[in-house]
Short mmCIF file of all heavy atoms in Angstrom, two decimals:
data_model
loop_
_atom_site.label_atom_id
_atom_site.label_comp_id
_atom_site.label_asym_id
_atom_site.label_seq_id
_atom_site.Cartn_x
_atom_site.Cartn_y
_atom_site.Cartn_z
N LYS H 1 -83.45 -104.46 82.02
CA LYS H 1 -82.43 -105.11 82.83
C LYS H 1 -81.11 -105.07 82.05
O LYS H 1 -81.09 -105.26 80.84
CB LYS H 1 -82.85 -106.53 83.14
CG LYS H 1 -81.88 -107.23 84.04
CD LYS H 1 -82.38 -108.61 84.42
CE LYS H 1 -81.33 -109.24 85.30
NZ LYS H 1 -81.69 -110.52 85.78
N ASP H 2 -80.04 -104.82 82.80
CA ASP H 2 -78.69 -104.81 82.22
C ASP H 2 -78.55 -103.83 81.06
O ASP H 2 -78.04 -104.17 79.99
CB ASP H 2 -78.29 -106.22 81.75
CG ASP H 2 -78.23 -107.21 82.90
OD1 ASP H 2 -77.78 -106.82 83.99
OD2 ASP H 2 -78.64 -108.37 82.70
N GLN H 3 -79.03 -102.60 81.25
CA GLN H 3 -78.98 -101.57 80.22
C GLN H 3 -78.12 -100.40 80.67
O GLN H 3 -77.99 -100.14 81.87
CB GLN H 3 -80.39 -101.04 79.93
CG GLN H 3 -81.35 -102.08 79.42
CD GLN H 3 -80.98 -102.59 78.05
OE1 GLN H 3 -80.73 -101.81 77.14
NE2 GLN H 3 -80.94 -103.90 77.89
N VAL H 4 -77.56 -99.68 79.71
CA VAL H 4 -76.89 -98.42 79.96
C VAL H 4 -77.68 -97.36 79.21
O VAL H 4 -77.78 -97.41 77.98
CB VAL H 4 -75.42 -98.44 79.50
CG1 VAL H 4 -74.80 -97.06 79.69
CG2 VAL H 4 -74.63 -99.49 80.26
N LEU H 5 -78.27 -96.45 79.96
CA LEU H 5 -79.10 -95.39 79.39
C LEU H 5 -78.31 -94.09 79.42
O LEU H 5 -77.84 -93.68 80.48
CB LEU H 5 -80.39 -95.23 80.18
CG LEU H 5 -81.20 -96.53 80.39
CD1 LEU H 5 -82.27 -96.32 81.43
CD2 LEU H 5 -81.79 -96.96 79.08
N GLU H 6 -78.13 -93.46 78.27
CA GLU H 6 -77.38 -92.21 78.16
C GLU H 6 -78.33 -91.10 77.73
O GLU H 6 -79.04 -91.25 76.73
CB GLU H 6 -76.27 -92.35 77.11
CG GLU H 6 -75.21 -93.38 77.45
CD GLU H 6 -74.14 -92.86 78.36
OE1 GLU H 6 -74.03 -91.64 78.54
OE2 GLU H 6 -73.41 -93.70 78.91
N GLY H 7 -78.34 -89.99 78.47
CA GLY H 7 -79.15 -88.85 78.08
C GLY H 7 -80.20 -88.51 79.12
O GLY H 7 -80.36 -89.21 80.12
N ASN H 8 -80.90 -87.43 78.87
CA ASN H 8 -81.90 -86.93 79.82
C ASN H 8 -83.27 -87.53 79.54
O ASN H 8 -83.61 -87.81 78.39
CB ASN H 8 -81.98 -85.40 79.74
CG ASN H 8 -80.68 -84.75 80.15
OD1 ASN H 8 -79.87 -85.33 80.86
ND2 ASN H 8 -80.48 -83.53 79.71
N ILE H 9 -84.04 -87.67 80.60
CA ILE H 9 -85.43 -88.11 80.52
C ILE H 9 -86.27 -86.90 80.90
O ILE H 9 -86.11 -86.35 81.99
CB ILE H 9 -85.70 -89.28 81.46
CG1 ILE H 9 -84.85 -90.50 81.05
CG2 ILE H 9 -87.18 -89.62 81.48
CD1 ILE H 9 -84.90 -91.64 82.03
N THR H 10 -87.19 -86.50 80.01
CA THR H 10 -88.06 -85.36 80.26
C THR H 10 -89.50 -85.85 80.39
O THR H 10 -89.99 -86.56 79.52
CB THR H 10 -87.96 -84.34 79.11
OG1 THR H 10 -86.60 -83.92 78.99
CG2 THR H 10 -88.84 -83.13 79.37
N VAL H 11 -90.15 -85.44 81.49
CA VAL H 11 -91.55 -85.80 81.74
C VAL H 11 -92.33 -84.50 81.90
O VAL H 11 -92.05 -83.72 82.81
CB VAL H 11 -91.67 -86.69 83.00
CG1 VAL H 11 -93.12 -87.03 83.27
CG2 VAL H 11 -90.84 -87.96 82.83
N ASP H 12 -93.31 -84.28 81.01
CA ASP H 12 -94.07 -83.03 81.06
C ASP H 12 -95.21 -83.09 82.08
O ASP H 12 -95.43 -84.11 82.73
CB ASP H 12 -94.56 -82.62 79.67
CG ASP H 12 -95.59 -83.58 79.10
OD1 ASP H 12 -96.18 -84.38 79.85
OD2 ASP H 12 -95.81 -83.54 77.88
N LYS H 13 -95.91 -81.99 82.23
CA LYS H 13 -96.94 -81.82 83.27
C LYS H 13 -98.06 -82.84 83.22
O LYS H 13 -98.65 -83.16 84.26
CB LYS H 13 -97.55 -80.43 83.19
CG LYS H 13 -96.61 -79.32 83.54
CD LYS H 13 -97.28 -77.97 83.39
CE LYS H 13 -96.29 -76.86 83.62
NZ LYS H 13 -96.88 -75.54 83.41
N ILE H 14 -98.38 -83.34 82.04
CA ILE H 14 -99.52 -84.25 81.93
C ILE H 14 -99.09 -85.72 81.86
O ILE H 14 -99.91 -86.59 81.60
CB ILE H 14 -100.39 -83.90 80.69
CG1 ILE H 14 -99.58 -84.04 79.40
CG2 ILE H 14 -100.98 -82.51 80.83
CD1 ILE H 14 -100.42 -83.95 78.14
N SER H 15 -97.82 -85.99 82.12
CA SER H 15 -97.29 -87.35 81.96
C SER H 15 -96.86 -87.97 83.27
O SER H 15 -96.57 -87.28 84.24
CB SER H 15 -96.11 -87.33 80.98
OG SER H 15 -96.53 -86.88 79.72
N THR H 16 -96.80 -89.30 83.25
CA THR H 16 -96.36 -90.10 84.39
C THR H 16 -95.35 -91.13 83.89
O THR H 16 -95.54 -91.72 82.83
CB THR H 16 -97.56 -90.84 85.03
OG1 THR H 16 -98.49 -89.88 85.49
CG2 THR H 16 -97.12 -91.70 86.20
N LEU H 17 -94.28 -91.33 84.67
CA LEU H 17 -93.28 -92.34 84.32
C LEU H 17 -92.99 -93.17 85.56
O LEU H 17 -92.71 -92.63 86.63
CB LEU H 17 -91.99 -91.67 83.84
CG LEU H 17 -90.79 -92.59 83.62
CD1 LEU H 17 -91.05 -93.56 82.47
CD2 LEU H 17 -89.53 -91.77 83.36
N GLU H 18 -93.05 -94.49 85.40
CA GLU H 18 -92.61 -95.41 86.44
C GLU H 18 -91.35 -96.07 85.90
O GLU H 18 -91.41 -96.85 84.94
CB GLU H 18 -93.68 -96.45 86.73
CG GLU H 18 -93.33 -97.35 87.88
CD GLU H 18 -94.46 -98.29 88.25
OE1 GLU H 18 -95.58 -97.79 88.49
OE2 GLU H 18 -94.21 -99.50 88.28
N LEU H 19 -90.19 -95.73 86.49
CA LEU H 19 -88.90 -96.20 85.99
C LEU H 19 -88.30 -97.16 87.01
O LEU H 19 -88.08 -96.78 88.17
CB LEU H 19 -87.98 -95.00 85.75
CG LEU H 19 -86.57 -95.29 85.24
CD1 LEU H 19 -86.61 -96.01 83.89
CD2 LEU H 19 -85.77 -93.99 85.12
N ASN H 20 -88.04 -98.38 86.56
CA ASN H 20 -87.41 -99.40 87.40
C ASN H 20 -86.04 -99.72 86.82
O ASN H 20 -85.96 -100.29 85.72
CB ASN H 20 -88.27 -100.67 87.45
CG ASN H 20 -89.61 -100.42 88.08
OD1 ASN H 20 -89.69 -100.02 89.22
ND2 ASN H 20 -90.67 -100.64 87.32
N LEU H 21 -84.99 -99.34 87.54
CA LEU H 21 -83.63 -99.66 87.10
C LEU H 21 -83.23 -100.98 87.75
O LEU H 21 -83.18 -101.09 88.98
CB LEU H 21 -82.65 -98.57 87.49
CG LEU H 21 -82.81 -97.22 86.81
CD1 LEU H 21 -81.75 -96.24 87.32
CD2 LEU H 21 -82.72 -97.35 85.30
N THR H 22 -82.96 -101.98 86.92
CA THR H 22 -82.56 -103.31 87.39
C THR H 22 -81.21 -103.64 86.77
O THR H 22 -81.14 -103.85 85.55
CB THR H 22 -83.62 -104.36 87.00
OG1 THR H 22 -84.89 -103.94 87.47
CG2 THR H 22 -83.27 -105.72 87.57
N ALA H 23 -80.18 -103.66 87.59
CA ALA H 23 -78.81 -103.93 87.12
C ALA H 23 -78.48 -103.05 85.92
O ALA H 23 -77.90 -103.51 84.94
CB ALA H 23 -78.64 -105.41 86.80
N SER H 24 -78.88 -101.79 85.98
CA SER H 24 -78.72 -100.86 84.87
C SER H 24 -78.09 -99.55 85.34
O SER H 24 -78.07 -99.26 86.52
CB SER H 24 -80.07 -100.58 84.22
OG SER H 24 -80.62 -101.77 83.69
N THR H 25 -77.62 -98.76 84.37
CA THR H 25 -77.02 -97.46 84.66
C THR H 25 -77.74 -96.38 83.86
O THR H 25 -77.93 -96.53 82.66
CB THR H 25 -75.53 -97.45 84.29
OG1 THR H 25 -74.85 -98.43 85.09
CG2 THR H 25 -74.90 -96.09 84.54
N LEU H 26 -78.12 -95.31 84.56
CA LEU H 26 -78.65 -94.11 83.91
C LEU H 26 -77.60 -93.03 84.07
O LEU H 26 -77.24 -92.66 85.18
CB LEU H 26 -79.97 -93.66 84.56
CG LEU H 26 -80.51 -92.29 84.15
CD1 LEU H 26 -80.75 -92.23 82.64
CD2 LEU H 26 -81.77 -91.95 84.91
N ASN H 27 -77.08 -92.56 82.94
CA ASN H 27 -76.10 -91.47 82.94
C ASN H 27 -76.80 -90.28 82.31
O ASN H 27 -76.77 -90.09 81.09
CB ASN H 27 -74.86 -91.89 82.13
CG ASN H 27 -73.74 -90.90 82.26
OD1 ASN H 27 -73.77 -90.02 83.12
ND2 ASN H 27 -72.76 -91.02 81.40
N GLY H 28 -77.50 -89.49 83.15
CA GLY H 28 -78.28 -88.37 82.66
C GLY H 28 -79.12 -87.77 83.77
O GLY H 28 -78.99 -88.12 84.93
N ALA H 29 -80.02 -86.89 83.38
CA ALA H 29 -80.87 -86.19 84.34
C ALA H 29 -82.33 -86.60 84.10
O ALA H 29 -82.70 -87.04 83.01
CB ALA H 29 -80.74 -84.68 84.16
N ILE H 30 -83.13 -86.47 85.15
CA ILE H 30 -84.57 -86.62 85.02
C ILE H 30 -85.18 -85.25 85.24
O ILE H 30 -85.09 -84.68 86.33
CB ILE H 30 -85.14 -87.65 86.01
CG1 ILE H 30 -84.55 -89.04 85.73
CG2 ILE H 30 -86.66 -87.68 85.93
CD1 ILE H 30 -85.00 -90.12 86.69
N LEU H 31 -85.74 -84.71 84.17
CA LEU H 31 -86.34 -83.37 84.17
C LEU H 31 -87.85 -83.57 84.28
O LEU H 31 -88.52 -83.91 83.31
CB LEU H 31 -85.95 -82.62 82.90
CG LEU H 31 -84.44 -82.64 82.60
CD1 LEU H 31 -84.14 -82.07 81.23
CD2 LEU H 31 -83.66 -81.93 83.68
N ASN H 32 -88.37 -83.39 85.49
CA ASN H 32 -89.72 -83.82 85.81
C ASN H 32 -90.64 -82.65 86.12
O ASN H 32 -90.41 -81.90 87.06
CB ASN H 32 -89.66 -84.77 87.02
CG ASN H 32 -91.02 -85.19 87.51
OD1 ASN H 32 -91.98 -85.27 86.74
ND2 ASN H 32 -91.11 -85.47 88.78
N GLU H 33 -91.70 -82.51 85.34
CA GLU H 33 -92.77 -81.57 85.65
C GLU H 33 -94.06 -82.31 85.95
O GLU H 33 -95.06 -81.71 86.32
CB GLU H 33 -92.98 -80.60 84.48
CG GLU H 33 -91.81 -79.68 84.24
CD GLU H 33 -92.08 -78.72 83.10
OE1 GLU H 33 -93.14 -78.78 82.46
OE2 GLU H 33 -91.20 -77.87 82.85
N GLY H 34 -94.06 -83.62 85.75
CA GLY H 34 -95.25 -84.45 85.97
C GLY H 34 -95.07 -85.33 87.20
O GLY H 34 -94.87 -84.83 88.30
N LYS H 35 -95.10 -86.65 86.98
CA LYS H 35 -94.92 -87.60 88.08
C LYS H 35 -93.93 -88.67 87.63
O LYS H 35 -94.15 -89.33 86.62
CB LYS H 35 -96.25 -88.24 88.46
CG LYS H 35 -96.12 -89.19 89.62
CD LYS H 35 -97.45 -89.73 90.07
CE LYS H 35 -97.22 -90.54 91.34
NZ LYS H 35 -97.95 -91.77 91.37
N VAL H 36 -92.86 -88.84 88.39
CA VAL H 36 -91.85 -89.86 88.12
C VAL H 36 -91.61 -90.65 89.40
O VAL H 36 -91.22 -90.08 90.42
CB VAL H 36 -90.51 -89.25 87.64
CG1 VAL H 36 -89.46 -90.34 87.47
CG2 VAL H 36 -90.70 -88.48 86.34
N ASP H 37 -91.86 -91.95 89.33
CA ASP H 37 -91.56 -92.86 90.43
C ASP H 37 -90.37 -93.71 90.00
O ASP H 37 -90.46 -94.45 89.01
CB ASP H 37 -92.77 -93.74 90.75
CG ASP H 37 -93.97 -92.93 91.20
OD1 ASP H 37 -93.77 -91.97 91.97
OD2 ASP H 37 -95.09 -93.24 90.79
N LEU H 38 -89.27 -93.60 90.74
CA LEU H 38 -88.04 -94.30 90.40
C LEU H 38 -87.74 -95.35 91.45
O LEU H 38 -87.72 -95.06 92.65
CB LEU H 38 -86.87 -93.31 90.31
CG LEU H 38 -85.48 -93.91 90.10
CD1 LEU H 38 -85.38 -94.68 88.79
CD2 LEU H 38 -84.42 -92.82 90.16
N THR H 39 -87.49 -96.58 90.99
CA THR H 39 -87.08 -97.69 91.85
C THR H 39 -85.75 -98.21 91.32
O THR H 39 -85.60 -98.43 90.11
CB THR H 39 -88.12 -98.82 91.85
OG1 THR H 39 -89.38 -98.29 92.26
CG2 THR H 39 -87.71 -99.93 92.81
N MET H 40 -84.80 -98.40 92.24
CA MET H 40 -83.47 -98.90 91.86
C MET H 40 -83.16 -100.15 92.66
O MET H 40 -83.53 -100.25 93.83
CB MET H 40 -82.40 -97.84 92.17
CG MET H 40 -82.58 -96.54 91.41
SD MET H 40 -81.37 -95.28 91.89
CE MET H 40 -79.84 -96.06 91.37
N ASP H 41 -82.44 -101.09 92.03
CA ASP H 41 -81.96 -102.24 92.79
C ASP H 41 -80.47 -102.05 93.10
O ASP H 41 -79.85 -101.08 92.68
CB ASP H 41 -82.25 -103.55 92.05
CG ASP H 41 -81.35 -103.79 90.85
OD1 ASP H 41 -80.55 -102.90 90.49
OD2 ASP H 41 -81.45 -104.88 90.27
N ALA H 42 -79.92 -103.01 93.85
CA ALA H 42 -78.53 -102.89 94.33
C ALA H 42 -77.52 -102.86 93.19
O ALA H 42 -76.42 -102.34 93.36
CB ALA H 42 -78.21 -104.03 95.28
N GLY H 43 -77.87 -103.38 92.02
CA GLY H 43 -76.94 -103.40 90.91
C GLY H 43 -77.04 -102.21 89.98
O GLY H 43 -76.40 -102.18 88.94
N SER H 44 -77.84 -101.22 90.35
CA SER H 44 -78.08 -100.08 89.47
C SER H 44 -77.35 -98.83 89.92
O SER H 44 -77.06 -98.66 91.10
CB SER H 44 -79.58 -99.78 89.39
OG SER H 44 -80.25 -100.84 88.74
N LYS H 45 -77.07 -97.95 88.93
CA LYS H 45 -76.41 -96.67 89.20
C LYS H 45 -77.16 -95.57 88.47
O LYS H 45 -77.68 -95.78 87.37
CB LYS H 45 -74.97 -96.68 88.69
CG LYS H 45 -74.06 -97.65 89.38
CD LYS H 45 -72.67 -97.57 88.77
CE LYS H 45 -71.77 -98.63 89.38
NZ LYS H 45 -70.45 -98.63 88.75
N TRP H 46 -77.17 -94.40 89.07
CA TRP H 46 -77.67 -93.19 88.40
C TRP H 46 -76.63 -92.12 88.61
O TRP H 46 -76.36 -91.70 89.73
CB TRP H 46 -79.02 -92.77 88.97
CG TRP H 46 -79.57 -91.51 88.35
CD1 TRP H 46 -79.17 -90.90 87.20
CD2 TRP H 46 -80.63 -90.71 88.87
NE1 TRP H 46 -79.91 -89.77 86.96
CE2 TRP H 46 -80.82 -89.63 87.98
CE3 TRP H 46 -81.43 -90.79 90.00
CZ2 TRP H 46 -81.78 -88.65 88.19
CZ3 TRP H 46 -82.38 -89.81 90.20
CH2 TRP H 46 -82.56 -88.75 89.30
N ILE H 47 -76.01 -91.66 87.53
CA ILE H 47 -75.02 -90.59 87.56
C ILE H 47 -75.69 -89.35 87.00
O ILE H 47 -75.99 -89.29 85.79
CB ILE H 47 -73.77 -90.97 86.75
CG1 ILE H 47 -73.19 -92.30 87.28
CG2 ILE H 47 -72.74 -89.85 86.79
CD1 ILE H 47 -72.25 -92.99 86.33
N LEU H 48 -75.97 -88.36 87.85
CA LEU H 48 -76.65 -87.15 87.41
C LEU H 48 -75.74 -86.30 86.54
O LEU H 48 -74.54 -86.17 86.82
CB LEU H 48 -77.12 -86.33 88.61
CG LEU H 48 -78.43 -86.77 89.27
CD1 LEU H 48 -78.26 -88.02 90.08
CD2 LEU H 48 -78.99 -85.66 90.13
N THR H 49 -76.32 -85.72 85.50
CA THR H 49 -75.58 -84.81 84.62
C THR H 49 -76.19 -83.41 84.66
O THR H 49 -75.72 -82.52 83.95
CB THR H 49 -75.58 -85.33 83.17
OG1 THR H 49 -76.92 -85.48 82.72
CG2 THR H 49 -74.85 -86.67 83.07
N ALA H 50 -77.22 -83.22 85.48
CA ALA H 50 -77.87 -81.92 85.69
C ALA H 50 -78.77 -82.06 86.91
O ALA H 50 -79.04 -83.18 87.37
CB ALA H 50 -78.69 -81.50 84.48
N ASP H 51 -79.24 -80.94 87.45
CA ASP H 51 -80.22 -81.00 88.54
C ASP H 51 -81.42 -81.82 88.08
O ASP H 51 -81.84 -81.73 86.92
CB ASP H 51 -80.67 -79.60 88.93
CG ASP H 51 -79.58 -78.79 89.62
OD1 ASP H 51 -78.58 -79.38 90.07
OD2 ASP H 51 -79.74 -77.56 89.71
N SER H 52 -81.96 -82.64 88.99
CA SER H 52 -83.01 -83.58 88.63
C SER H 52 -84.10 -83.60 89.69
O SER H 52 -83.90 -83.14 90.82
CB SER H 52 -82.43 -84.99 88.46
OG SER H 52 -81.48 -85.02 87.43
N SER H 53 -85.25 -84.20 89.31
CA SER H 53 -86.39 -84.26 90.21
C SER H 53 -87.18 -85.53 89.95
O SER H 53 -87.44 -85.88 88.79
CB SER H 53 -87.27 -83.03 90.00
OG SER H 53 -88.47 -83.15 90.72
N VAL H 54 -87.56 -86.22 91.03
CA VAL H 54 -88.47 -87.36 90.95
C VAL H 54 -89.55 -87.17 92.01
O VAL H 54 -89.36 -86.46 93.00
CB VAL H 54 -87.76 -88.71 91.15
CG1 VAL H 54 -86.78 -88.98 90.02
CG2 VAL H 54 -87.07 -88.81 92.49
N SER H 55 -90.69 -87.79 91.79
CA SER H 55 -91.78 -87.70 92.75
C SER H 55 -91.55 -88.63 93.93
O SER H 55 -91.83 -88.29 95.08
CB SER H 55 -93.11 -88.05 92.07
OG SER H 55 -93.29 -87.23 90.94
N SER H 56 -91.03 -89.84 93.63
CA SER H 56 -90.70 -90.80 94.69
C SER H 56 -89.47 -91.60 94.28
O SER H 56 -89.18 -91.75 93.10
CB SER H 56 -91.89 -91.72 94.98
OG SER H 56 -92.11 -92.60 93.89
N LEU H 57 -88.77 -92.09 95.30
CA LEU H 57 -87.53 -92.84 95.11
C LEU H 57 -87.55 -94.00 96.08
O LEU H 57 -87.74 -93.80 97.29
CB LEU H 57 -86.35 -91.91 95.39
CG LEU H 57 -84.94 -92.47 95.28
CD1 LEU H 57 -84.66 -92.94 93.86
CD2 LEU H 57 -83.93 -91.41 95.68
N SER H 58 -87.36 -95.22 95.57
CA SER H 58 -87.38 -96.38 96.46
C SER H 58 -86.35 -97.41 96.02
O SER H 58 -85.75 -97.30 94.95
CB SER H 58 -88.78 -97.01 96.48
OG SER H 58 -89.16 -97.41 95.19
N GLY H 59 -86.16 -98.40 96.87
CA GLY H 59 -85.19 -99.46 96.61
C GLY H 59 -83.83 -99.10 97.18
O GLY H 59 -83.71 -98.36 98.16
N ASP H 60 -82.79 -99.61 96.54
CA ASP H 60 -81.41 -99.37 96.98
C ASP H 60 -80.87 -98.15 96.25
O ASP H 60 -80.55 -98.21 95.07
CB ASP H 60 -80.56 -100.60 96.66
CG ASP H 60 -79.15 -100.50 97.21
OD1 ASP H 60 -78.66 -99.37 97.45
OD2 ASP H 60 -78.52 -101.55 97.41
N THR H 61 -80.77 -97.04 96.98
CA THR H 61 -80.36 -95.77 96.37
C THR H 61 -78.85 -95.51 96.53
O THR H 61 -78.39 -94.43 96.20
CB THR H 61 -81.15 -94.60 96.97
OG1 THR H 61 -80.92 -94.57 98.38
CG2 THR H 61 -82.64 -94.77 96.69
N SER H 62 -78.10 -96.51 96.99
CA SER H 62 -76.66 -96.31 97.20
C SER H 62 -75.91 -96.07 95.89
O SER H 62 -74.80 -95.57 95.90
CB SER H 62 -76.06 -97.50 97.94
OG SER H 62 -76.16 -98.69 97.15
N GLY H 63 -76.52 -96.40 94.74
CA GLY H 63 -75.87 -96.21 93.45
C GLY H 63 -76.08 -94.84 92.85
O GLY H 63 -75.68 -94.59 91.72
N ILE H 64 -76.69 -93.91 93.60
CA ILE H 64 -76.89 -92.56 93.08
C ILE H 64 -75.62 -91.74 93.28
O ILE H 64 -75.12 -91.61 94.40
CB ILE H 64 -78.08 -91.86 93.77
CG1 ILE H 64 -79.38 -92.59 93.41
CG2 ILE H 64 -78.16 -90.39 93.36
CD1 ILE H 64 -80.61 -92.04 94.12
N ASP H 65 -75.12 -91.19 92.20
CA ASP H 65 -73.96 -90.30 92.22
C ASP H 65 -74.46 -88.91 91.82
O ASP H 65 -74.76 -88.66 90.66
CB ASP H 65 -72.91 -90.80 91.23
CG ASP H 65 -71.67 -89.90 91.17
OD1 ASP H 65 -71.66 -88.82 91.81
OD2 ASP H 65 -70.72 -90.29 90.46
N LEU H 66 -74.58 -88.01 92.81
CA LEU H 66 -75.09 -86.67 92.55
C LEU H 66 -74.18 -85.89 91.61
O LEU H 66 -74.63 -84.97 90.92
CB LEU H 66 -75.30 -85.91 93.86
CG LEU H 66 -76.38 -86.49 94.78
CD1 LEU H 66 -76.40 -85.74 96.11
CD2 LEU H 66 -77.74 -86.46 94.12
N ASN H 67 -72.89 -86.22 91.59
CA ASN H 67 -71.96 -85.63 90.63
C ASN H 67 -71.96 -84.10 90.69
O ASN H 67 -71.78 -83.43 89.69
CB ASN H 67 -72.33 -86.14 89.23
CG ASN H 67 -71.21 -86.01 88.23
OD1 ASN H 67 -70.04 -85.99 88.58
ND2 ASN H 67 -71.58 -85.93 86.96
N GLY H 68 -72.23 -83.56 91.89
CA GLY H 68 -72.23 -82.11 92.06
C GLY H 68 -73.56 -81.44 91.77
O GLY H 68 -73.68 -80.22 91.87
N TYR H 69 -74.58 -82.22 91.42
CA TYR H 69 -75.89 -81.67 91.09
C TYR H 69 -76.88 -81.90 92.23
O TYR H 69 -76.59 -82.61 93.18
CB TYR H 69 -76.42 -82.29 89.79
CG TYR H 69 -75.57 -81.94 88.60
CD1 TYR H 69 -74.66 -82.85 88.09
CD2 TYR H 69 -75.66 -80.68 88.02
CE1 TYR H 69 -73.86 -82.52 87.01
CE2 TYR H 69 -74.87 -80.35 86.93
CZ TYR H 69 -73.97 -81.27 86.44
OH TYR H 69 -73.18 -80.94 85.37
N LYS H 70 -78.04 -81.30 92.10
CA LYS H 70 -79.08 -81.39 93.12
C LYS H 70 -80.18 -82.34 92.64
O LYS H 70 -80.58 -82.30 91.49
CB LYS H 70 -79.68 -80.00 93.37
CG LYS H 70 -80.63 -79.93 94.54
CD LYS H 70 -81.20 -78.54 94.72
CE LYS H 70 -80.12 -77.56 95.12
NZ LYS H 70 -80.66 -76.23 95.48
N LEU H 71 -80.64 -83.19 93.58
CA LEU H 71 -81.75 -84.09 93.30
C LEU H 71 -82.87 -83.79 94.29
O LEU H 71 -82.65 -83.79 95.50
CB LEU H 71 -81.31 -85.55 93.45
CG LEU H 71 -82.41 -86.60 93.39
CD1 LEU H 71 -83.16 -86.56 92.06
CD2 LEU H 71 -81.83 -88.00 93.64
N LEU H 72 -84.06 -83.51 93.75
CA LEU H 72 -85.24 -83.31 94.58
C LEU H 72 -86.10 -84.57 94.50
O LEU H 72 -86.36 -85.09 93.41
CB LEU H 72 -86.05 -82.11 94.10
CG LEU H 72 -85.37 -80.74 94.18
CD1 LEU H 72 -86.31 -79.66 93.66
CD2 LEU H 72 -84.93 -80.42 95.59
N VAL H 73 -86.52 -85.03 95.69
CA VAL H 73 -87.42 -86.19 95.78
C VAL H 73 -88.68 -85.70 96.48
O VAL H 73 -88.63 -85.32 97.65
CB VAL H 73 -86.77 -87.34 96.57
CG1 VAL H 73 -87.76 -88.50 96.69
CG2 VAL H 73 -85.48 -87.78 95.90
N GLY H 74 -89.78 -85.66 95.75
CA GLY H 74 -91.02 -85.16 96.32
C GLY H 74 -90.88 -83.71 96.80
O GLY H 74 -91.50 -83.31 97.77
N GLY H 75 -90.03 -82.95 96.12
CA GLY H 75 -89.84 -81.53 96.47
C GLY H 75 -88.78 -81.27 97.53
O GLY H 75 -88.44 -80.13 97.80
N GLN H 76 -88.23 -82.34 98.14
CA GLN H 76 -87.21 -82.20 99.19
C GLN H 76 -85.84 -82.62 98.63
O GLN H 76 -85.74 -83.58 97.87
CB GLN H 76 -87.54 -83.09 100.39
CG GLN H 76 -88.89 -82.79 101.02
CD GLN H 76 -88.94 -81.41 101.63
OE1 GLN H 76 -88.02 -81.00 102.33
NE2 GLN H 76 -90.01 -80.68 101.36
N GLU H 77 -84.80 -81.89 99.04
CA GLU H 77 -83.48 -82.20 98.53
C GLU H 77 -82.97 -83.53 99.08
O GLU H 77 -82.99 -83.78 100.28
CB GLU H 77 -82.47 -81.09 98.86
CG GLU H 77 -81.15 -81.29 98.20
CD GLU H 77 -80.19 -80.12 98.32
OE1 GLU H 77 -80.61 -79.06 98.86
OE2 GLU H 77 -79.06 -80.25 97.88
N TYR H 78 -82.50 -84.38 98.19
CA TYR H 78 -81.93 -85.68 98.53
C TYR H 78 -80.47 -85.49 98.91
O TYR H 78 -79.71 -84.86 98.16
CB TYR H 78 -82.06 -86.63 97.34
CG TYR H 78 -81.37 -87.96 97.50
CD1 TYR H 78 -82.00 -88.98 98.19
CD2 TYR H 78 -80.11 -88.20 96.95
CE1 TYR H 78 -81.38 -90.22 98.34
CE2 TYR H 78 -79.49 -89.43 97.10
CZ TYR H 78 -80.13 -90.43 97.78
OH TYR H 78 -79.52 -91.65 97.93
N LYS H 79 -80.08 -86.04 100.04
CA LYS H 79 -78.70 -85.88 100.51
C LYS H 79 -77.88 -87.16 100.40
O LYS H 79 -76.69 -87.15 100.63
CB LYS H 79 -78.69 -85.41 101.97
CG LYS H 79 -79.35 -84.05 102.18
CD LYS H 79 -78.53 -82.94 101.59
CE LYS H 79 -79.13 -81.60 101.96
NZ LYS H 79 -78.40 -80.50 101.40
N GLY H 80 -78.54 -88.26 100.10
CA GLY H 80 -77.80 -89.53 99.95
C GLY H 80 -77.69 -90.35 101.17
O GLY H 80 -78.05 -90.12 102.24
#
């Protein structure tokens, strides 16, 4: 809660990540080859710094800034 995360998150084929952003900011990419479930609340932001991928996305996604990059959610392009 109330964190600023800088940098990329890498999840390999055999790994799983459940990421809950609560009043926090992620300034980076999620490079996913495994399973990543991302939940965001209304006070959170994600500013992409490269093309990214998550398995699922829930909560308040209004804080996502694609920043010119592509986000795949469950293999489908996220349009915002």
